[in-house]
Amino acid sequence: MASLGFIGLGIMGNPMCRNLMKGGHRLHVYDISPQCIAPLLALGATACRSSREVVEKTEVTFIIVPDTPDVAEVLFGAGGAAEARAPGKIIVDMSSISPVETKEFAKRLAAQGIDMLDAPVSGGEVGAESGTLSIMVGGKESVLEKVKPYLDLLGKTITHIGDHGAGQTAKVANQIIVALNLEAICEALLFASKAGADPVKVRAALMGGAANSRLLEVKGEWILAHRFQPGFRVKHQQKDLNNALSAARKLGLTLPNTATTQELYNAVAGQGGADLDHCALITALEQLSNHKLA
């Protein structure tokens, strides 16, 4: 039994904590929203008053918060993890953030003797609940070996990509594929509907062929039902695509379809949909086409 820390107890963090506790580990947790902590306290977790306290009381601390500035605050803000001055401790950032900033965060922590891994995840709320996430890891392989028994409780696929920032680079690539795949599904179902075919039956047919994907299976159903209660919010998809486009500019790389899809997400957010599930992308296409999926 290990003493583990977890910072960020939202849609993803809460079920991930539960899986670590099911594995027999003690959890010290912190979140800026007290209501996120309560369900875990009922299961035996210990609440902390700051990120610093979490790191001080644990061997390994996991972080999963929305964006790069949030990770910076958790690590280096007032009461942040870096204030713990805890050589030998390990911090595993499972957020999806900028690969460039991740490298800088790891360097600053290393100067204090704290090892960091960037280990963003794919699989959404369903994967977090079932412990079947795909985890992409950047950092020292020797540090990964120390925390792998805990990651095994959270995911079914754990891949060491390379040095610091490599895990985040893999996640950016993942999010490009997710966004463009989802956009293609929305277009295809909208086309079928406008052409007079039953989009429910079209989806069923597509799932038996080369066009099938996990997104078509899961989010295709959500799109047809206009089910937009978030598993993964529009604003988080925007953030991930912004990371992709920002990095592409620095690399001198052109990502035209990523840019177009980001503009569609911007349209959804502009209509008040930033907190909807990212499959609400269909609403932007419906508006452009003056046709509602039916």
Side-chain angles (χ1 to χ4, degrees), residues 21 31 74 94 102 141 165 171 173 188 213 264 269:
M21 295 172 76
D31 194 283
V74 166
M94 307 189 81
T102 289
E141 194 163 8
K171 180 58 188 288
S213 67
L264 291 170

Side-chain angles (χ1 to χ4, degrees), residues 13-256:
N14 219 288
M16 292 166 76
C17 284
R18 293 198 299 270
N19 285 329
L20 290 171
M21 295 172 76
K22 287 176 186 176
H25 302 296
R26 298 185 302 273
L27 262 290
H28 289 75
V29 298
Y30 174 70
D31 194 283
I32 58 173
S33 301
Q35 64 267 29
C36 293
I37 300 174
L40 296 172
L41 298 186
L43 297 174
T46 300
C48 294
R49 294 167 294 180
S50 66
S51 299
R52 173 181 177 173
E53 184 179 349
V54 173
V55 173
E56 288 174 340
K57 291 185 174 180
T58 60
E59 302 160 26
V60 179
T61 297
F62 298 90
I63 302 169
I64 187 161
V65 293
D67 204 348
T68 306
D70 302 302
V71 175
E73 181 66 20
V74 166
L75 295 177
F76 306 111
E83 289 184 1
R85 299 287 191 263
K89 299 290 182 81
I90 298 172
I91 292 176
V92 183
D93 179 29
M94 307 189 81
S95 317
S96 297
I97 66 169
S98 163
V100 175
E101 293 300 315
T102 289
K103 294 176 184 179
E104 182 62 27
F105 295 162
K107 187 184 300 184
R108 291 176 66 181
L109 290 174
Q112 298 177 205
I114 300 173
D115 284 310
M116 178 179 169
L117 296 176
D118 49 290
V121 302
S122 180
E125 183 180 6
V126 173
E129 291 278 0
S130 61
T132 57
L133 294 166
S134 176
I135 305 174
M136 299 152 264
V137 185
K140 297 177 183 176
E141 194 163 8
S142 59
V143 178
L144 171 58
E145 288 305 310
K146 293 178 182 178
V147 303
K148 190 172 183 298
Y150 316 129
L151 296 180
D152 284 335
L153 297 171
L154 304 175
K156 67 175 181 179
T157 303
I158 301 162
T159 307
H160 183 241
I161 307 297
D163 204 353
H164 298 296
Q168 294 295 353
T169 296
K171 180 58 188 288
V172 168
N174 179 85
Q175 293 306 88
I176 292 172
I177 293 172
V178 166
L180 271 61
N181 189 4
L182 195 58
E183 196 276 339
I185 291 166
C186 289
E187 284 196 13
L189 295 178
L190 192 64
F191 165 77
S193 175
K194 182 68 172 179
D198 183 345
V200 174
K201 292 181 178 179
V202 170
R203 171 177 166 270
L206 296 179
M207 285 170 58
N212 193 28
S213 67
R214 180 64 176 161
L215 282 171
L216 182 60
E217 293 176 11
V218 178
K219 292 302 175 83
E221 184 177 0
W222 291 28
I223 290 165
L224 289 169
H226 277 66
R227 176 187 167 190
F228 302 143
Q229 181 179 349
F232 186 72
R233 288 182 168 86
V234 165
K235 64 184 179 183
H236 296 153
Q237 185 74 75
Q238 286 180 287
K239 175 259 299 182
D240 289 339
L241 294 184
N242 184 59
N243 284 336
L245 294 169
S246 177
R249 283 192 294 272
K250 293 175 182 176
L251 294 168
L253 182 67
T254 300
L255 301 176

